[in-house]
Amino acid sequence: MVGGMDLRKVDSLSSIAEAEDLDFSRLLDRPRLKIERKRSFDERSVSELTVSGNLRQVDSYDSMCSLGTMRSVLDTPVSSDPNPFDPHPMVAEAWEALRRTIVFFRGQPVGTIAAYDHASEEVLNYDQVFVRDFFPSALAFLMNGEPEIVKNFLMKTLYLQGWEKRIDRFKLGEGVMPASFKVKHDPTRKTDNLIADFGESAIGRVAPVDSGFWWIILLRAYTKSTGDLALADSAECQKGMRLILALCLSEGFDTFPTLLCTDGCSMIDRRMGIYGYPMEIQALFFMALRCALTMLKQDTEGKEFIDRIVKRLHALSYHIRNYFWLDFQKLNVIYRYKTEEYSHTAVNKFNVIPDSIPDWIFDFMPTGGGYFIGNVSPARMDFRWFSLGNCIAILSSLATPEQSAAIMDLLEARWEELVGEMPLKVAYPALESHEWRIVTGCDPKNTRWSYHNGGTWPVTLWLLTAACIKTGRPQIARRAIDLAENRLSKDSWPEYYDGKLGRYIGKQARKFQTWSIAGYLVAKMMLEDPSHLGMISLEEDKAMLRPPIKRSASWTI
């Protein structure tokens, strides 16, 4: 929590040649498409849907904005079964629990607190509204036709973005969004005040890099769900997006298009060795850029950022798809890497030492399937699996259709390791023994197979479900939801589970954790009505599928 800080409002506001032929700017002008109702999403993937006439294959949910309705997509296929799901008693219970967490500011709902666990002696900051935690709650409210709380949240966090942000006399960038905020009620004066945390009160004092990305993605989800274009078009939201983009698109010494980050700046908010270029942040970065591209106005200021976004997307997609991707074939190549290679012809571009490949990966990697590894930087590849980064890569189409299918193949092949008895591992495998001491700094909360260190987080159920629907594999999501329904309610909706299979309620897990509740509701509603996927999914731009033009090794200026 933030205590008595003097917060005041401020008034002011490397090229990759192979990818140069990609055209992200085509995303700005999409035709409106009307899809014939035929088969259920359960039977086919979104990418298989075609339209009549000379229009091409459906490749963007941006072309299906449902104006004036509470549905996320207009005329999208629905399940052919009139009652595909029997009402589960957990649904009503979850809605009741979610509504208990709603926070009001001057009589208006503005968000949900992180947890409603009155049995816990230490409240810490779980009584605050977190930007990343509220995201699944926001989706649940949008899917249920209750957009007011989402709109209020977007505007209140935008207001807080404009506050001066200082930590130990050091001023943060204008575009930084708060990690969380709290409503302080003064019963004597009968007033409400907002108190924001930009990282100055967080464990480790790390600012949230992901908050701004979640905010942009949620703004698009709100627009897609409600058809309310006025909010995104407002001067305040346009400025807020530009401030966020100015932070992450700034040029410096970095030679990579990925975003350089510290440990603890995302959902994994403690030291876990993800410093550098964590996949989770890169996937969110990519998705936020694509969402912003559809919402920025083509005025003088907007065009400048649009040009920068298009160039960055070219480089970022090429970099991630080539250097972060791992499958059986790629592992064989890395296993035989030569080191100390010099010049642009080097195959081992990051000088990764083959002996640094962990032993577990050879047994874990199936012959079919693959995933985006956790991190790539000079002389270092983090081979760990991170669920959020891989799911967001699918939803944003950072992953190609082939890579998306391979990620699903890996999940099915390694179900016991990644899903177990409760969806879904936030990271795999766990750090143990000496490695745990060095990487986590002997963190007593991140012991092996607990919390961020191989723990199981029910909130990831909605991400898994969305990825399954998009790739045409709803049966995987059904299986995961069935597992959750066996335990979640009985265990009082815990924050996370411990153990290799996720069998035990986390040692320090809060109960009635809001995003565990909301994640279940979103997964359930999305599987029942797959049209909701349009709020948080972006389809592949077909220009990205063309093979890049290679320059010869002898090319010179």
Side-chain angles (χ1 to χ4, degrees):
M1 292 185 288
V2 181
M5 284 194 67
D6 180 20
L7 302 176
R8 60 184 187 277
K9 189 175 180 182
V10 294
D11 298 324
S12 64
L13 234 175
S14 138
S15 79
I16 294 190
E18 293 91 337
E20 286 179 350
D21 67 330
L22 305 184
D23 186 10
F24 279 92
S25 60
R26 297 192 307 113
L27 294 171
L28 300 174
D29 187 16
R30 295 284 189 180
R32 294 281 173 85
L33 303 181
K34 187 177 180 66
I35 302 174
E36 182 181 357
R37 293 178 184 268
K38 287 185 178 179
R39 288 183 288 159
S40 164
F41 265 45
D42 293 358
E43 303 174 60
R44 55 181 177 169
S45 68
V46 175
S47 60
E48 290 178 290
L49 296 173
T50 55
V51 293
S52 59
N54 59 2
L55 291 178
R56 64 186 179 184
Q57 194 176 19
V58 176
D59 60 357
S60 175
Y61 280 105
D62 290 326
S63 62
M64 298 183 284
C65 181
S66 58
L67 300 178
T69 72
M70 299 315 302
R71 291 282 298 278
S72 56
V73 182
L74 191 63
D75 289 337
T76 48
V78 295
S79 176
S80 56
D81 186 349
N83 295 297
F85 295 91
D86 292 327
H88 197 285
M90 270 179 60
V91 173
E93 178 188 331
W95 272 114
E96 183 181 349
L98 181 60
R99 296 193 190 285
R100 283 200 301 265
T101 68
I102 295 177
V103 173
F104 291 86
F105 177 75
R106 299 174 183 173
Q108 293 185 322
V110 293
T112 53
I113 59 173
Y116 195 77
D117 186 3
H118 288 306
S120 176
E121 295 180 0
E122 287 186 302
V123 176
L124 296 178
N125 55 358
Y126 282 81
D127 62 345
Q128 298 190 24
V129 180
F130 281 81
V131 173
R132 74 174 69 99
D133 290 46
F134 179 68
F135 191 88
S137 294
L139 293 183
F141 287 121
L142 289 174
M143 291 177 184
N144 203 46
E146 302 177 57
E148 180 190 5
I149 186 173
V150 181
K151 183 176 183 178
N152 293 338
F153 170 85
L154 288 167
M155 294 307 296
K156 288 296 176 286
T157 46
L158 188 62
Y159 166 73
L160 293 171
Q161 182 197 41
W163 285 29
E164 186 177 81
K165 301 167 275 285
R166 288 183 180 273
I167 299 179
D168 291 339
R169 301 184 181 182
F170 182 74
K171 185 177 179 181
L172 278 67
E174 275 190 277
V176 174
M177 280 286 182
S180 63
F181 67 85
K182 184 177 182 178
V183 177
K184 185 177 182 180
H185 301 278
D186 188 333
T188 304
R189 298 181 180 180
K190 296 182 179 180
T191 58
D192 289 344
N193 293 296
L194 293 176
I195 302 175
D197 178 12
F198 293 93
E200 69 271 28
S201 297
I203 296 173
R205 301 302 188 265
V206 176
V209 175
D210 62 336
S211 285
F213 299 151
W214 284 121
W215 187 88
I216 290 175
I217 296 167
L218 182 58
L219 178 61
R220 175 188 175 271
Y222 169 85
T223 304
K224 295 286 293 180
S225 175
T226 65
D228 178 9
L229 304 177
L231 181 63
D233 285 345
S234 68
E236 295 83 2
C237 284
Q238 290 290 311
K239 179 182 177 181
M241 280 191 287
R242 291 196 303 268
L243 288 175
I244 294 169
L245 295 169
L247 270 180
C248 58
L249 293 174
S250 60
E251 297 173 345
F253 288 100
D254 209 333
T255 59
F256 307 142
T258 40
L259 197 62
L260 183 62
C261 302
T262 185
D263 247 337
C265 66
S266 59
M267 175 182 174
I268 297 177
D269 58 7
R270 296 165 78 100
R271 180 177 165 187
M272 268 289 291
I274 63 169
Y275 59 88
Y277 307 92
M279 181 60 202
E280 175 178 318
I281 289 295
Q282 311 315 318
L284 285 170
F285 180 31
F286 181 87
M287 190 168 191
L289 290 179
R290 289 200 61 188
C291 289
L293 196 61
T294 67
M295 296 185 291
L296 283 171
K297 287 184 176 180
Q298 299 246 12
D299 53 19
T300 304
E301 292 178 300
K303 283 184 178 179
E304 177 189 349
F305 279 98
I306 288 170
D307 291 341
R308 294 169 68 183
I309 289 172
V310 169
K311 291 176 182 177
R312 191 63 168 263
L313 285 171
H314 289 171
L316 186 61
S317 62
Y318 178 86
H319 187 91
I320 295 292
R321 290 175 177 182
N322 283 274
Y323 303 130
F324 277 67
W325 180 252
L326 187 70
D327 54 21
F328 185 78
Q329 290 73 24
K330 185 71 175 289
L331 184 58
N332 267 284
V333 172
I334 298 171
Y335 181 68
R336 292 170 53 83
Y337 265 167
K338 294 179 181 179
T339 59
E340 307 302 322
E341 292 182 298
Y342 179 74
S343 88
H344 60 276
T345 61
V347 175
N348 185 2
K349 295 185 178 182
F350 302 101
N351 198 38
V352 174
I353 312 300
D355 287 345
S356 68
I357 302 175
D359 291 337
W360 65 265
I361 190 66
F362 295 105
D363 292 328
F364 177 76
M365 179 60 70
T367 304
Y371 66 102
F372 291 105
I373 62 175
N375 213 327
V376 176
S377 53
R380 178 173 178 259
M381 297 184 80
D382 185 347
F383 290 90
R384 285 176 294 174
W385 148 275
F386 290 89
S387 58
L388 193 147
N390 278 273
C391 288
I392 293 293
I394 292 174
L395 295 177
S396 65
S397 287
L398 173 57
T400 65
E402 295 75 18
Q403 288 173 334
S404 296
I407 293 171
M408 289 292 111
D409 288 343
L410 179 85
L411 270 167
E412 289 191 291
R414 296 292 177 257
W415 184 267
E416 289 299 309
E417 293 91 337
L418 301 179
V419 181
E421 295 187 17
M422 176 61 65
L424 176 68
K425 280 276 181 287
V426 68
Y428 180 89
L431 301 171
E432 302 185 65
S433 304
H434 181 67
E435 188 179 21
W436 165 77
R437 295 185 182 92
I438 296 298
V439 175
T440 74
C442 300
D443 189 344
K445 195 167 185 178
N446 271 334
T447 54
R448 63 178 184 172
W449 308 112
S450 180
Y451 204 46
H452 302 128
N453 189 14
T456 294
W457 292 70
V459 64
T460 56
L461 185 62
W462 81 263
L463 285 158
L464 174 62
T465 301
C468 289
I469 294 172
K470 184 172 181 181
T471 54
R473 306 200 192 180
Q475 69 279 2
I476 299 178
R478 285 200 187 97
R479 185 180 175 188
I481 291 174
D482 287 343
L483 287 174
E485 288 179 337
N486 288 333
R487 294 282 306 274
L488 267 179
S489 175
K490 296 175 184 176
D491 296 338
S492 301
W493 309 92
E495 180 183 12
Y496 63 93
Y497 285 81
D498 286 351
K500 282 188 176 182
L501 298 178
R503 298 183 66 187
Y504 306 100
I505 299 174
K507 286 182 180 179
Q508 298 184 45
R510 289 298 191 279
K511 293 190 176 181
F512 294 99
Q513 183 79 14
T514 305
W515 68 356
S516 295
I517 298 166
Y520 166 72
L521 286 172
V522 171
K524 196 76 172 175
M525 287 189 286
M526 197 179 298
L527 196 56
E528 186 173 11
D529 183 359
S531 69
H532 289 310
L533 183 67
M535 280 193 284
I536 40 85
S537 180
L538 293 159
E539 284 300 290
E540 176 82 78
D541 184 350
K542 294 302 182 284
M544 294 177 63
L545 300 179
R546 298 202 306 268
I549 299 174
K550 302 280 187 180
R551 285 177 174 163
S552 67
S554 61
W555 182 85
T556 57
I557 297 177

